[in-house]
PDB file of all heavy atoms in Angstrom:
ATOM      1  N   SER A   2     -15.016   5.066  11.748  1.00  0.00           N
ATOM      2  CA  SER A   2     -16.257   4.829  10.973  1.00  0.00           C
ATOM      3  C   SER A   2     -16.529   3.408  10.950  1.00  0.00           C
ATOM      4  O   SER A   2     -15.648   2.516  10.999  1.00  0.00           O
ATOM      5  CB  SER A   2     -15.944   5.314   9.534  1.00  0.00           C
ATOM      6  OG  SER A   2     -15.663   6.652   9.513  1.00  0.00           O
ATOM      7  N   PRO A   3     -17.795   2.991  10.918  1.00  0.00           N
ATOM      8  CA  PRO A   3     -18.172   1.550  10.812  1.00  0.00           C
ATOM      9  C   PRO A   3     -17.778   1.018   9.442  1.00  0.00           C
ATOM     10  O   PRO A   3     -17.500   1.745   8.536  1.00  0.00           O
ATOM     11  CB  PRO A   3     -19.697   1.567  10.811  1.00  0.00           C
ATOM     12  CG  PRO A   3     -20.129   2.978  10.395  1.00  0.00           C
ATOM     13  CD  PRO A   3     -18.960   3.872  10.876  1.00  0.00           C
ATOM     14  N   PRO A   4     -17.647  -0.288   9.308  1.00  0.00           N
ATOM     15  CA  PRO A   4     -17.175  -0.896   8.053  1.00  0.00           C
ATOM     16  C   PRO A   4     -18.173  -0.477   6.950  1.00  0.00           C
ATOM     17  O   PRO A   4     -19.397  -0.387   7.093  1.00  0.00           O
ATOM     18  CB  PRO A   4     -17.375  -2.439   8.320  1.00  0.00           C
ATOM     19  CG  PRO A   4     -17.220  -2.527   9.821  1.00  0.00           C
ATOM     20  CD  PRO A   4     -17.898  -1.306  10.406  1.00  0.00           C
ATOM     21  N   ALA A   5     -17.655  -0.109   5.736  1.00  0.00           N
ATOM     22  CA  ALA A   5     -18.527   0.227   4.613  1.00  0.00           C
ATOM     23  C   ALA A   5     -19.266  -0.901   4.146  1.00  0.00           C
ATOM     24  O   ALA A   5     -18.663  -2.042   3.913  1.00  0.00           O
ATOM     25  CB  ALA A   5     -17.632   0.844   3.596  1.00  0.00           C
ATOM     26  N   LYS A   6     -20.515  -0.873   3.940  1.00  0.00           N
ATOM     27  CA  LYS A   6     -21.361  -2.001   3.486  1.00  0.00           C
ATOM     28  C   LYS A   6     -21.929  -1.696   2.067  1.00  0.00           C
ATOM     29  O   LYS A   6     -22.315  -0.568   1.722  1.00  0.00           O
ATOM     30  CB  LYS A   6     -22.562  -2.254   4.481  1.00  0.00           C
ATOM     31  CG  LYS A   6     -22.124  -2.650   5.885  1.00  0.00           C
ATOM     32  CD  LYS A   6     -23.310  -2.920   6.714  1.00  0.00           C
ATOM     33  CE  LYS A   6     -22.876  -3.390   8.092  1.00  0.00           C
ATOM     34  NZ  LYS A   6     -24.076  -3.639   8.980  1.00  0.00           N
ATOM     35  N   GLY A   7     -21.968  -2.751   1.268  1.00  0.00           N
ATOM     36  CA  GLY A   7     -22.528  -2.593  -0.068  1.00  0.00           C
ATOM     37  C   GLY A   7     -21.802  -1.780  -1.023  1.00  0.00           C
ATOM     38  O   GLY A   7     -22.341  -1.237  -2.002  1.00  0.00           O
ATOM     39  N   LEU A   8     -20.514  -1.588  -0.734  1.00  0.00           N
ATOM     40  CA  LEU A   8     -19.716  -0.745  -1.642  1.00  0.00           C
ATOM     41  C   LEU A   8     -19.063  -1.614  -2.747  1.00  0.00           C
ATOM     42  O   LEU A   8     -18.540  -2.678  -2.518  1.00  0.00           O
ATOM     43  CB  LEU A   8     -18.627   0.012  -0.917  1.00  0.00           C
ATOM     44  CG  LEU A   8     -18.995   1.231  -0.105  1.00  0.00           C
ATOM     45  CD1 LEU A   8     -17.743   1.825   0.594  1.00  0.00           C
ATOM     46  CD2 LEU A   8     -19.666   2.245  -0.985  1.00  0.00           C
ATOM     47  N   VAL A   9     -18.907  -0.937  -3.925  1.00  0.00           N
ATOM     48  CA  VAL A   9     -18.241  -1.508  -5.077  1.00  0.00           C
ATOM     49  C   VAL A   9     -17.350  -0.336  -5.548  1.00  0.00           C
ATOM     50  O   VAL A   9     -17.846   0.749  -5.687  1.00  0.00           O
ATOM     51  CB  VAL A   9     -19.129  -1.969  -6.122  1.00  0.00           C
ATOM     52  CG1 VAL A   9     -18.362  -2.522  -7.375  1.00  0.00           C
ATOM     53  CG2 VAL A   9     -20.031  -3.121  -5.661  1.00  0.00           C
ATOM     54  N   VAL A  10     -16.074  -0.585  -5.739  1.00  0.00           N
ATOM     55  CA  VAL A  10     -15.145   0.293  -6.190  1.00  0.00           C
ATOM     56  C   VAL A  10     -14.674   0.063  -7.605  1.00  0.00           C
ATOM     57  O   VAL A  10     -14.248  -1.022  -7.898  1.00  0.00           O
ATOM     58  CB  VAL A  10     -13.905   0.484  -5.251  1.00  0.00           C
ATOM     59  CG1 VAL A  10     -12.872   1.539  -5.749  1.00  0.00           C
ATOM     60  CG2 VAL A  10     -14.358   0.844  -3.806  1.00  0.00           C
ATOM     61  N   ARG A  11     -14.700   1.079  -8.448  1.00  0.00           N
ATOM     62  CA  ARG A  11     -14.299   0.887  -9.876  1.00  0.00           C
ATOM     63  C   ARG A  11     -13.461   2.043 -10.312  1.00  0.00           C
ATOM     64  O   ARG A  11     -13.688   3.136  -9.860  1.00  0.00           O
ATOM     65  CB  ARG A  11     -15.540   0.721 -10.760  1.00  0.00           C
ATOM     66  CG  ARG A  11     -16.528  -0.433 -10.510  1.00  0.00           C
ATOM     67  CD  ARG A  11     -15.786  -1.682 -10.968  1.00  0.00           C
ATOM     68  NE  ARG A  11     -16.575  -2.964 -10.828  1.00  0.00           N
ATOM     69  CZ  ARG A  11     -16.492  -3.781  -9.868  1.00  0.00           C
ATOM     70  NH1 ARG A  11     -15.680  -3.499  -8.860  1.00  0.00           N
ATOM     71  NH2 ARG A  11     -17.321  -4.788  -9.754  1.00  0.00           N
ATOM     72  N   PRO A  12     -12.600   1.857 -11.247  1.00  0.00           N
ATOM     73  CA  PRO A  12     -11.766   2.943 -11.829  1.00  0.00           C
ATOM     74  C   PRO A  12     -12.672   3.896 -12.681  1.00  0.00           C
ATOM     75  O   PRO A  12     -13.594   3.509 -13.265  1.00  0.00           O
ATOM     76  CB  PRO A  12     -10.718   2.276 -12.685  1.00  0.00           C
ATOM     77  CG  PRO A  12     -11.343   1.021 -13.050  1.00  0.00           C
ATOM     78  CD  PRO A  12     -12.169   0.579 -11.857  1.00  0.00           C
ATOM     79  N   LEU A  13     -12.358   5.177 -12.687  1.00  0.00           N
ATOM     80  CA  LEU A  13     -12.982   6.079 -13.540  1.00  0.00           C
ATOM     81  C   LEU A  13     -12.479   5.937 -14.972  1.00  0.00           C
ATOM     82  O   LEU A  13     -11.376   6.130 -15.282  1.00  0.00           O
ATOM     83  CB  LEU A  13     -12.678   7.546 -13.096  1.00  0.00           C
ATOM     84  CG  LEU A  13     -13.247   8.596 -13.938  1.00  0.00           C
ATOM     85  CD1 LEU A  13     -14.846   8.550 -14.189  1.00  0.00           C
ATOM     86  CD2 LEU A  13     -12.933  10.027 -13.415  1.00  0.00           C
ATOM     87  N   THR A  14     -13.350   5.535 -15.824  1.00  0.00           N
ATOM     88  CA  THR A  14     -13.119   5.322 -17.228  1.00  0.00           C
ATOM     89  C   THR A  14     -14.123   6.108 -18.081  1.00  0.00           C
ATOM     90  O   THR A  14     -15.116   6.732 -17.552  1.00  0.00           O
ATOM     91  CB  THR A  14     -13.393   3.816 -17.521  1.00  0.00           C
ATOM     92  OG1 THR A  14     -14.709   3.450 -17.280  1.00  0.00           O
ATOM     93  CG2 THR A  14     -12.433   2.929 -16.833  1.00  0.00           C
ATOM     94  N   PRO A  15     -13.840   6.293 -19.353  1.00  0.00           N
ATOM     95  CA  PRO A  15     -14.850   7.140 -20.175  1.00  0.00           C
ATOM     96  C   PRO A  15     -16.293   6.656 -20.055  1.00  0.00           C
ATOM     97  O   PRO A  15     -17.208   7.583 -19.926  1.00  0.00           O
ATOM     98  CB  PRO A  15     -14.339   6.866 -21.580  1.00  0.00           C
ATOM     99  CG  PRO A  15     -12.874   6.726 -21.444  1.00  0.00           C
ATOM    100  CD  PRO A  15     -12.768   5.821 -20.157  1.00  0.00           C
ATOM    101  N   SER A  16     -16.559   5.399 -19.958  1.00  0.00           N
ATOM    102  CA  SER A  16     -17.996   4.956 -19.748  1.00  0.00           C
ATOM    103  C   SER A  16     -18.553   5.355 -18.409  1.00  0.00           C
ATOM    104  O   SER A  16     -19.769   5.429 -18.336  1.00  0.00           O
ATOM    105  CB  SER A  16     -18.015   3.427 -20.005  1.00  0.00           C
ATOM    106  OG  SER A  16     -17.466   2.776 -18.865  1.00  0.00           O
ATOM    107  N   ARG A  17     -17.700   5.659 -17.461  1.00  0.00           N
ATOM    108  CA  ARG A  17     -18.227   6.052 -16.109  1.00  0.00           C
ATOM    109  C   ARG A  17     -18.174   7.534 -15.897  1.00  0.00           C
ATOM    110  O   ARG A  17     -18.540   8.028 -14.833  1.00  0.00           O
ATOM    111  CB  ARG A  17     -17.460   5.298 -15.025  1.00  0.00           C
ATOM    112  CG  ARG A  17     -17.565   3.757 -15.035  1.00  0.00           C
ATOM    113  CD  ARG A  17     -16.934   3.130 -13.892  1.00  0.00           C
ATOM    114  NE  ARG A  17     -17.071   1.669 -14.026  1.00  0.00           N
ATOM    115  CZ  ARG A  17     -16.136   0.786 -14.336  1.00  0.00           C
ATOM    116  NH1 ARG A  17     -14.857   1.306 -14.522  1.00  0.00           N
ATOM    117  NH2 ARG A  17     -16.338  -0.519 -14.452  1.00  0.00           N
ATOM    118  N   TRP A  18     -17.777   8.254 -16.947  1.00  0.00           N
ATOM    119  CA  TRP A  18     -17.704   9.687 -16.774  1.00  0.00           C
ATOM    120  C   TRP A  18     -19.070  10.287 -16.335  1.00  0.00           C
ATOM    121  O   TRP A  18     -19.063  11.131 -15.403  1.00  0.00           O
ATOM    122  CB  TRP A  18     -17.240  10.455 -18.110  1.00  0.00           C
ATOM    123  CG  TRP A  18     -17.407  11.916 -17.962  1.00  0.00           C
ATOM    124  CD1 TRP A  18     -18.411  12.612 -18.533  1.00  0.00           C
ATOM    125  CD2 TRP A  18     -16.486  12.725 -17.227  1.00  0.00           C
ATOM    126  NE1 TRP A  18     -18.191  13.986 -18.093  1.00  0.00           N
ATOM    127  CE2 TRP A  18     -17.056  14.044 -17.386  1.00  0.00           C
ATOM    128  CE3 TRP A  18     -15.348  12.596 -16.508  1.00  0.00           C
ATOM    129  CZ2 TRP A  18     -16.443  15.213 -16.848  1.00  0.00           C
ATOM    130  CZ3 TRP A  18     -14.662  13.748 -15.962  1.00  0.00           C
ATOM    131  CH2 TRP A  18     -15.309  15.009 -16.161  1.00  0.00           C
ATOM    132  N   PRO A  19     -20.219   9.917 -16.869  1.00  0.00           N
ATOM    133  CA  PRO A  19     -21.476  10.506 -16.355  1.00  0.00           C
ATOM    134  C   PRO A  19     -21.685  10.277 -14.930  1.00  0.00           C
ATOM    135  O   PRO A  19     -22.246  11.109 -14.225  1.00  0.00           O
ATOM    136  CB  PRO A  19     -22.539   9.725 -17.199  1.00  0.00           C
ATOM    137  CG  PRO A  19     -21.819   9.364 -18.413  1.00  0.00           C
ATOM    138  CD  PRO A  19     -20.442   9.006 -18.015  1.00  0.00           C
ATOM    139  N   HIS A  20     -21.246   9.125 -14.301  1.00  0.00           N
ATOM    140  CA  HIS A  20     -21.384   8.928 -12.948  1.00  0.00           C
ATOM    141  C   HIS A  20     -20.546   9.884 -12.137  1.00  0.00           C
ATOM    142  O   HIS A  20     -20.998  10.375 -11.115  1.00  0.00           O
ATOM    143  CB  HIS A  20     -20.958   7.449 -12.512  1.00  0.00           C
ATOM    144  CG  HIS A  20     -21.593   6.403 -13.460  1.00  0.00           C
ATOM    145  ND1 HIS A  20     -21.116   5.150 -13.503  1.00  0.00           N
ATOM    146  CD2 HIS A  20     -22.678   6.508 -14.310  1.00  0.00           C
ATOM    147  CE1 HIS A  20     -21.798   4.414 -14.374  1.00  0.00           C
ATOM    148  NE2 HIS A  20     -22.791   5.280 -14.811  1.00  0.00           N
ATOM    149  N   PHE A  21     -19.289  10.139 -12.528  1.00  0.00           N
ATOM    150  CA  PHE A  21     -18.463  11.046 -11.932  1.00  0.00           C
ATOM    151  C   PHE A  21     -18.982  12.477 -11.975  1.00  0.00           C
ATOM    152  O   PHE A  21     -18.990  13.245 -11.026  1.00  0.00           O
ATOM    153  CB  PHE A  21     -17.097  10.998 -12.618  1.00  0.00           C
ATOM    154  CG  PHE A  21     -16.073  11.978 -12.069  1.00  0.00           C
ATOM    155  CD1 PHE A  21     -15.388  11.805 -10.974  1.00  0.00           C
ATOM    156  CD2 PHE A  21     -15.705  13.171 -12.814  1.00  0.00           C
ATOM    157  CE1 PHE A  21     -14.415  12.738 -10.447  1.00  0.00           C
ATOM    158  CE2 PHE A  21     -14.780  14.033 -12.375  1.00  0.00           C
ATOM    159  CZ  PHE A  21     -14.113  13.851 -11.160  1.00  0.00           C
ATOM    160  N   GLU A  22     -19.503  12.864 -13.158  1.00  0.00           N
ATOM    161  CA  GLU A  22     -20.041  14.219 -13.318  1.00  0.00           C
ATOM    162  C   GLU A  22     -21.329  14.399 -12.467  1.00  0.00           C
ATOM    163  O   GLU A  22     -21.451  15.498 -11.870  1.00  0.00           O
ATOM    164  CB  GLU A  22     -20.409  14.427 -14.804  1.00  0.00           C
ATOM    165  CG  GLU A  22     -20.710  15.782 -15.216  1.00  0.00           C
ATOM    166  CD  GLU A  22     -20.844  15.947 -16.715  1.00  0.00           C
ATOM    167  OE1 GLU A  22     -21.164  14.984 -17.372  1.00  0.00           O
ATOM    168  OE2 GLU A  22     -20.636  17.051 -17.233  1.00  0.00           O
ATOM    169  N   THR A  23     -22.079  13.406 -12.297  1.00  0.00           N
ATOM    170  CA  THR A  23     -23.305  13.442 -11.364  1.00  0.00           C
ATOM    171  C   THR A  23     -22.898  13.630  -9.938  1.00  0.00           C
ATOM    172  O   THR A  23     -23.392  14.438  -9.154  1.00  0.00           O
ATOM    173  CB  THR A  23     -24.134  12.255 -11.553  1.00  0.00           C
ATOM    174  OG1 THR A  23     -24.695  12.237 -12.827  1.00  0.00           O
ATOM    175  CG2 THR A  23     -25.357  12.346 -10.620  1.00  0.00           C
ATOM    176  N   LEU A  24     -21.886  12.840  -9.602  1.00  0.00           N
ATOM    177  CA  LEU A  24     -21.368  12.891  -8.154  1.00  0.00           C
ATOM    178  C   LEU A  24     -20.820  14.311  -7.874  1.00  0.00           C
ATOM    179  O   LEU A  24     -21.020  14.856  -6.729  1.00  0.00           O
ATOM    180  CB  LEU A  24     -20.216  11.862  -7.995  1.00  0.00           C
ATOM    181  CG  LEU A  24     -19.466  11.871  -6.673  1.00  0.00           C
ATOM    182  CD1 LEU A  24     -20.444  11.621  -5.478  1.00  0.00           C
ATOM    183  CD2 LEU A  24     -18.337  10.919  -6.652  1.00  0.00           C
ATOM    184  N   PHE A  25     -20.014  14.938  -8.706  1.00  0.00           N
ATOM    185  CA  PHE A  25     -19.447  16.168  -8.491  1.00  0.00           C
ATOM    186  C   PHE A  25     -20.409  17.312  -8.582  1.00  0.00           C
ATOM    187  O   PHE A  25     -20.202  18.372  -7.961  1.00  0.00           O
ATOM    188  CB  PHE A  25     -18.197  16.407  -9.430  1.00  0.00           C
ATOM    189  CG  PHE A  25     -16.940  15.778  -8.845  1.00  0.00           C
ATOM    190  CD1 PHE A  25     -16.848  14.634  -8.168  1.00  0.00           C
ATOM    191  CD2 PHE A  25     -15.740  16.551  -8.930  1.00  0.00           C
ATOM    192  CE1 PHE A  25     -15.673  14.191  -7.555  1.00  0.00           C
ATOM    193  CE2 PHE A  25     -14.550  16.144  -8.442  1.00  0.00           C
ATOM    194  CZ  PHE A  25     -14.520  14.872  -7.733  1.00  0.00           C
ATOM    195  N   GLY A  26     -21.468  17.152  -9.415  1.00  0.00           N
ATOM    196  CA  GLY A  26     -22.364  18.230  -9.539  1.00  0.00           C
ATOM    197  C   GLY A  26     -21.980  19.500 -10.172  1.00  0.00           C
ATOM    198  O   GLY A  26     -20.842  19.616 -10.682  1.00  0.00           O
TER     199      GLY A  26
END
């Protein structure tokens, strides 16, 4: 795979739960 561009990695925390829920669908 080519190098990943524009990525930011963050731990899943309670404030990020909606992002996780949207990703998983």
